Amino acid sequence: MDLIKILKNKLADSNKEEVWLKSYKNAIKVLNNKYIDIETIQQLFISSNSIEHFDSLVSVLYQDSKLPSSNLKSYKKIFKYSKGESLEGRSKKLPIKEFSIGDWIESLYIIKCWLDNKDQTSSLDSQIEYIGCSAEINVDGGMSDLKDIVSDYLDIYGFDNNFN
């Protein structure tokens, strides 16, 4: 995979190329390959809408990898849910609208910022489930952007860590 070529296509300002590459190299360095493989990191990297979203995701993945439940690899749900696929019973009654992996990463960023602002923490799994519930409930609700759905739900309902 030619990351430089992908970055040139991705970035309007090619001066940010070095910053993106530095961020990618940092992700490879800090994330344990027993927790997440390089190909998955590359896929998340390429899918990220901004460097802030990717860096935030790497931080959340790093924290998740240190938990006793890290062998569950909660991040894999993003790939399933982004396709609207069912996992562990989700979507049996209500479908999840398909949103890109980049939209899911951006929504995780929004939740992380919200939690940081409230001096709260949450597991990656709980955050992913929150996004899934928000997308599931709003499947016909008229909002088309996942980030808007999640932001709206955070404003109205806050964040409950009881999604596991």
Side-chain angles (χ1 to χ4, degrees):
M1 180 174 285
D2 185 357
L3 291 175
I4 299 293
K5 192 173 189 177
I6 291 168
L7 283 174
K8 285 184 179 179
N9 291 332
K10 187 177 182 94
L11 302 173
D13 179 5
S14 63
N15 293 332
K16 290 187 176 183
E17 183 178 300
E18 288 178 29
V19 177
W20 275 91
L21 280 176
K22 181 179 177 183
S23 182
Y24 171 74
K25 288 176 183 176
N26 179 62
I28 298 296
K29 185 172 121 180
V30 300
L31 296 173
N32 186 325
N33 63 359
K34 291 179 183 171
Y35 173 75
I36 187 168
D37 60 53
I38 290 176
E39 291 78 21
T40 303
I41 295 171
Q42 287 176 347
Q43 193 172 6
L44 293 169
F45 174 75
I46 291 166
S47 299
S48 295
N49 297 333
S50 79
I51 192 142
E52 292 83 10
H53 301 164
F54 180 72
D55 286 344
S56 177
L57 176 65
V58 170
S59 174
V60 172
L61 290 171
Y62 176 78
Q63 291 168 354
D64 190 60
S65 72
K66 299 299 179 191
L67 297 174
S69 62
S70 68
N71 61 340
L72 299 175
K73 299 182 181 184
S74 298
Y75 66 85
K76 289 184 174 188
K77 290 181 179 181
I78 295 170
F79 296 99
K80 288 276 199 186
Y81 290 173
S82 69
K83 297 176 191 173
E85 293 178 7
S86 179
L87 183 69
E88 298 173 2
R90 180 168 298 292
S91 297
K92 296 222 184 228
K93 293 182 182 174
L94 297 170
I96 295 178
K97 184 177 175 182
E98 292 181 24
F99 290 100
S100 73
I101 293 170
D103 291 341
W104 278 80
I105 295 169
E106 183 174 16
S107 294
L108 285 169
Y109 174 77
I110 288 168
I111 290 174
K112 183 177 183 326
C113 290
W114 192 92
L115 289 169
D116 287 350
N117 213 15
K118 305 282 184 187
D119 289 326
Q120 296 179 17
T121 60
S122 175
S123 70
L124 175 60
D125 192 58
S126 289
Q127 292 177 44
I128 291 170
E129 290 301 319
Y130 186 92
I131 297 167
C133 284
S134 301
E136 190 175 84
I137 292 168
N138 192 64
V139 74
D140 292 325
M143 291 181 129
S144 59
D145 289 333
L146 187 58
K147 69 179 186 307
D148 293 337
I149 295 168
V150 170
S151 291
D152 194 43
Y153 275 76
L154 285 169
D155 289 342
I156 295 169
Y157 304 109
F159 189 90
D160 184 357
N161 273 315
N162 296 319
F163 284 94
N164 293 333

